[in-house]
Amino acid sequence: MNAPAAREKSRGADVHEFALAYVKQAAAAFKTRGQVAMLTAFHLSSSESAASVNNDTSADASRGAIFRKLRSALPQASPLPDLADAGPWQSFDDPADHFASVLKSVGGRFVRVATVAEADAELRKLDVWQSAKVRFSAIAGLGDSTFEEAAVDDPHDLENVDFAILPGHFGVAENGAVWVTDEGVRHRVLYFIPQHIAIVIPGSKIVHNMHEAYGQIDVGRYAFAAFISGPSKTADIEQSLVIGAHGARSLTVFGIDEWQAGN
């Protein structure tokens, strides 16, 4: 037996002896049959673990050798590229128009209005809003709520929400995405679980590309944040696009000129 195997065998015996001593001492302190049975089961489990140490020694040695070889072959670290001067990045003559076009292509809809009142009028034209029985709005003056989010402690209780109106920070023209966080929303699941969703962004806050988008983000400020582009969708099966497979069946983005995130 080589030295490493001998050490592993010794370690296994030590574990076994420790478990046995623990059971004997604990059994003296606990008087009920159930507690003694439980401790005995622990002892048997520990004994089996100790017995398996020797069998695992060879596998552990092989695994260690493989990891050592992998570590020795790691490439040298290199500095991250400086992207500030790597452009020019993709841009558009009218970012809002391109945002609307891309969002439509992924199943969403963009509505640009001047005021919250105009957005409310557009919202009430939607069939899915009119038929929604359980509604929530985090935007003052836009739609209404049938429940108080602050009174909901368990996010699972929101599974029956039909329509939610939620705040966003800005849009991204190149992919139709909206940056959202938990600011003003207690339960982040509201961005995903309702049947239909509307997200509000300032009308003028649409950046050209993701490089500009990341420049707008204050990393670490929020406990939750995400980019959302269109409703839930998947094309995993035969490349057939299915809308609403895992979440919202529709997404409307309102760009309101007078509105600012945090209102």
Side-chain angles (χ1 to χ4, degrees), residues 127-135 146 162-163 196:
D127 292 339
V128 290
W129 172 261
Q130 296 173 12
S131 62
K133 293 182 173 60
V134 182
R135 303 185 300 271
T146 60
D162 295 310
F163 203 114
H196 305 277

Side-chain angles (χ1 to χ4, degrees), residues 1-243:
M1 181 183 298
N2 57 33
R7 284 196 296 269
E8 288 297 328
K9 182 176 181 180
S10 176
R11 184 166 64 88
D14 290 342
V15 171
H16 180 273
E17 291 301 319
F18 173 81
L20 181 60
Y22 173 82
V23 170
K24 287 180 179 178
Q25 292 175 6
F30 296 96
K31 303 300 183 182
T32 67
R33 181 178 303 175
Q35 288 169 321
V36 173
M38 179 183 67
L39 291 167
T40 302
F42 170 80
H43 165 59
L44 291 175
S45 175
S46 300
S47 299
E48 292 171 358
S49 297
S52 67
V53 167
N54 291 334
N55 293 333
D56 292 340
T57 300
S58 178
D60 288 343
S62 298
R63 184 163 52 245
I66 292 171
F67 284 138
R68 283 192 296 274
K69 289 182 179 179
L70 289 173
R71 292 189 189 101
S72 67
L74 288 175
Q76 294 297 316
S78 58
L80 293 174
D82 183 3
L83 298 180
D85 301 322
W89 306 111
Q90 181 175 224
S91 61
F92 310 97
D93 294 334
D94 187 338
D97 182 67
H98 193 82
F99 176 83
S101 176
V102 175
L103 184 60
K104 181 179 179 180
S105 73
V106 295
R109 177 171 174 255
F110 180 53
V111 179
R112 178 78 178 267
V113 294
T115 66
V116 173
E118 291 178 20
D120 185 69
E122 291 294 327
L123 172 72
R124 295 182 186 279
K125 295 177 184 178
L126 299 178
D127 292 339
V128 290
W129 172 261
Q130 296 173 12
S131 62
K133 293 182 173 60
V134 182
R135 303 185 300 271
F136 171 72
S137 176
I139 309 299
L142 182 54
D144 55 63
S145 300
T146 60
F147 66 92
E148 291 289 337
E149 187 201 13
V152 178
D153 293 322
D154 186 353
H156 293 87
D157 294 336
L158 299 171
E159 63 179 344
N160 294 321
V161 176
D162 295 310
F163 203 114
I165 306 169
L166 306 162
H169 291 260
F170 59 85
V172 185
E174 74 172 345
N175 57 10
V178 177
W179 174 250
V180 301
T181 69
D182 55 1
E183 183 176 31
V185 179
R186 182 184 183 192
H187 297 294
R188 65 189 68 175
V189 73
L190 282 169
Y191 282 101
F192 307 101
I193 202 170
Q195 294 293 314
H196 305 277
I197 294 174
I199 298 178
V200 177
I201 61 173
S204 60
K205 281 206 166 184
I206 299 178
V207 299
H208 291 274
N209 51 63
M210 289 297 290
H211 300 282
E212 291 183 4
Y214 279 107
Q216 300 285 320
I217 295 171
D218 185 359
V219 176
R221 179 177 176 183
Y222 303 102
F224 160 77
F227 283 104
I228 296 178
S229 180
S232 169
K233 50 196 171 293
T234 181
D236 289 346
I237 302 175
E238 297 182 353
Q239 298 298 296
S240 177
L241 181 63
V242 178
I243 301 294

